[in-house]
């Protein structure tokens, strides 16, 4: 009897192990195919300025779009996820130093990365959230690229990205935004310039930076980083609807909420939103009140 039970459990465990291996192998192949699939897109060229006012404006955009969280304040790149299960994900060195952009890196390549989430060879960038940036107006993106091209070169070599077993499975199941190119409308034509004013329209444009975590409808959703804090509803039906403009500004500049909570920068990146101008925060507030 006992021998029979042992034989049965052994068999069941064997079958389970086989199922898990087949599942993992399928995910692995799927993710590898997605990673190496080349895209054929048409890159619409725009003029990149180099005057100091445009570069200064680009620096402000860099500081308000969260680029520094992954690429660092000096743009030299860093390993922003290093986890045995998830994997090791470095964000590129964006300067022209060693380990960064080659001297031949052209405006077309900057646009390919920012508007399409693709590398020079047409293969997808990993994790780089271009789906939050590709709708940026020509004017704003041109200034941002002007800034990227202007920063001092830093020598910093980074390892190749590597997915761990959990990273493979989550990417295969689309629970990790591994391939930004998949979430981009490659034929979208951004406007030339968006009027900067304390209006809901401008706030809607700025709220692109919030959608990656708070979801496109800004109604909240699970954190895109596995295991992260739930990204709350930030529409008028939630707390934001009860807060005054001043209270809203305080939350986005200090992380301190009117009801006495302290948001952690690792959960809600308020050190990034602290860089927004009064006008930008007012525009965001006005837009969120319409939702
Ligand atoms: C969540 C982290 C994250 C954020 C935020 C982020 N990036 Fe990236 N970025 C990456 C990663 C990771 C890569 C490298 C991807 C690869 O090599 O497959 C990358 C690559 C790039 C590249 C392409 C480099 C190349 O190899 O061609 C550019 C350009 C770039 N980022 C610019 C920016 C700018 C500008 C911002 C802000 C507007 C930004 N990134 C925000 C993670 C991020
Ligand atoms: C990297 C992810 C991420 C991004 C980007 C992000 N948020 Fe958040 N945000 C969160 C998370 C997670 C919370 C919940 C934190 C908590 O509950 O402690 C949060 C909380 C908030 C809150 C407080 C809500 C409440 O009821 O307490 C506001 C307001 C807010 N975010 C606004 C914004 C705005 C506006 C933007 C865009 C400019 C933005 N967030 C971008 C992740 C993000």
């Amino acid at each position: 009897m006992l021998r029979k039970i042992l034989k049965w459990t052994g068999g069941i465990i064997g079958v389970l192990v086989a199922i898990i291996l087949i599942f993992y192998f399928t995910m692995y192949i799927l993710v590898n195919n997605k990673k190496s699939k080349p895209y054929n897109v048409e890159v619409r060229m725009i003029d990149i300025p180099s005057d100091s006012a445009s570069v200064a404006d680009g620096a402000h955009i860099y500081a308000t779009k969260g680029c520094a969280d992954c690429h660092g304040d000096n743009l030299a790149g860093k390993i922003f996820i290093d986890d045995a299960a998830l994997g090791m994900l470095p964000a590129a060195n964006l300067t022209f130093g060693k380990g960064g952009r080659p001297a031949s890196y052209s405006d077309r390549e900057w646009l390919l990365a920012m508007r399409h989430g693709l590398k020079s060879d047409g293969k997808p960038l990993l994790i780089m959230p271009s789906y939050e940036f590709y709708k940026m107006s020509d004017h704003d993106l041109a200034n941002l690229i002007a800034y990227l091209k202007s920063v001092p070169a830093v020598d910093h070599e980074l390892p190749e990205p590597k997915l761990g077993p959990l990273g493979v499975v989550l990417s295969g199941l689309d629970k990790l935004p591994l391939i930004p190119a998949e979430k981009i409308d490659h034929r979208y034509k951004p406007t030339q310039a968006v009027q900067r004013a304390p209006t809901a329209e401008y706030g809607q444009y700025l709220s692109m930076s919030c959608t990656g975590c708070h979801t496109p409808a800004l109604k909240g959703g699970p954190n895109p980083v596995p295991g992260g804090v739930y990204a709350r509803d930030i529409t008028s039906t939630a707390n934001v609807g009860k807060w005054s403009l001043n209270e809203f500004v305080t939350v986005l500049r200090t992380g301190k909420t009117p009801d006495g909570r302290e948001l952690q920068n690792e959960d809600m990146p308020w050190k990034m939103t602290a860089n927004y101008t009064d006008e930008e925060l007012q525009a965001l507030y006005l837009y969120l009140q319409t939702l």
Side-chain angles (χ1 to χ4, degrees):
M1 186 61 188
L2 185 65
R3 268 179 61 190
K4 231 182 186 163
I5 291 175
L6 281 178
K7 220 169 122 190
W8 269 97
T9 27
I12 290 169
I13 290 172
V15 170
L16 281 178
V17 168
I19 290 175
I20 290 170
L21 283 177
I22 291 170
F23 172 73
Y24 182 73
F25 188 67
T26 312
M27 288 293 133
Y28 185 82
I29 301 279
L30 182 80
V31 171
N32 260 322
N33 284 345
K34 292 209 264 186
K35 269 164 58 180
S36 51
K37 174 185 161 197
Y39 285 68
N40 192 359
V41 298
E42 204 173 306
V43 182
R44 189 171 54 85
M45 296 306 293
I46 56 177
D47 285 331
I48 310 296
S50 57
D51 61 287
S52 58
S54 304
V55 168
D57 186 52
H60 175 70
I61 296 173
Y62 185 85
T64 51
K65 295 293 170 193
C67 318
D69 286 342
C70 296
H71 294 284
D73 288 326
N74 64 355
L75 283 68
K78 61 181 187 195
I79 296 173
F80 66 99
I81 293 184
D82 190 1
D83 182 279
L86 275 178
M88 209 241 325
L89 295 167
N93 176 351
L94 299 179
T95 77
F96 288 99
K98 206 185 278 171
R101 309 296 92 221
S104 61
Y105 201 75
S106 64
D107 289 352
R108 185 179 181 277
E109 287 166 293
W110 289 113
L111 289 167
L112 201 54
M114 301 304 301
R115 285 248 159 104
H116 300 280
L118 300 173
K119 293 191 253 200
S120 314
D121 60 3
K123 298 208 175 130
L125 288 164
L126 305 184
I127 304 286
M128 159 70 185
S130 309
Y131 47 82
E132 281 182 21
F133 311 138
Y134 78 99
K135 291 185 175 168
M136 221 184 267
S137 71
D138 286 354
H139 171 269
D140 292 358
L141 183 58
N143 286 355
L144 175 60
I145 293 176
Y147 169 68
L148 299 175
K149 287 166 73 171
S150 77
V151 297
V154 181
D155 295 339
H156 186 208
E157 313 234 25
L158 289 145
E160 286 289 311
K162 230 175 81 189
L163 281 181
L166 183 63
V168 169
V169 171
L170 290 176
S171 305
L173 298 174
D174 273 335
K175 297 285 176 211
L176 190 75
L178 182 74
I179 315 267
E182 287 178 349
K183 298 214 259 168
I184 289 177
D185 171 3
H186 293 279
R187 275 175 305 186
Y188 182 83
K189 188 170 181 295
T191 50
Q192 245 203 309
V194 173
Q195 206 198 342
R196 295 181 181 177
T199 59
E201 291 76 52
Y202 187 42
Q204 175 170 25
Y205 172 73
L206 294 172
S207 74
M208 266 186 311
S209 315
C210 324
T211 55
C213 296
H214 291 282
T215 75
L218 299 172
K219 279 281 178 199
N223 199 299
V225 177
V229 171
Y230 187 86
R232 290 168 181 254
D233 182 347
I234 55 169
T235 67
S236 67
T237 53
N239 283 329
V240 176
K242 295 184 228 136
W243 295 342
S244 68
L245 171 63
N246 271 336
E247 288 172 326
F248 176 76
V249 169
T250 304
V251 172
L252 294 200
R253 289 215 170 122
T254 66
K256 294 194 176 70
T257 66
D259 47 278
R261 286 171 293 130
E262 286 203 23
L263 309 181
Q264 299 302 304
N265 184 59
E266 294 68 41
D267 305 326
M268 165 59 205
W270 56 264
K271 286 185 182 158
M272 167 187 96
T273 47
N275 295 318
Y276 282 67
T277 62
D278 290 347
E279 182 178 81
E280 287 167 338
L281 289 179
Q282 194 180 347
L284 274 170
Y285 179 76
L286 289 174
Y287 174 59
L288 296 177
Q289 298 303 330
T290 68
L291 300 179

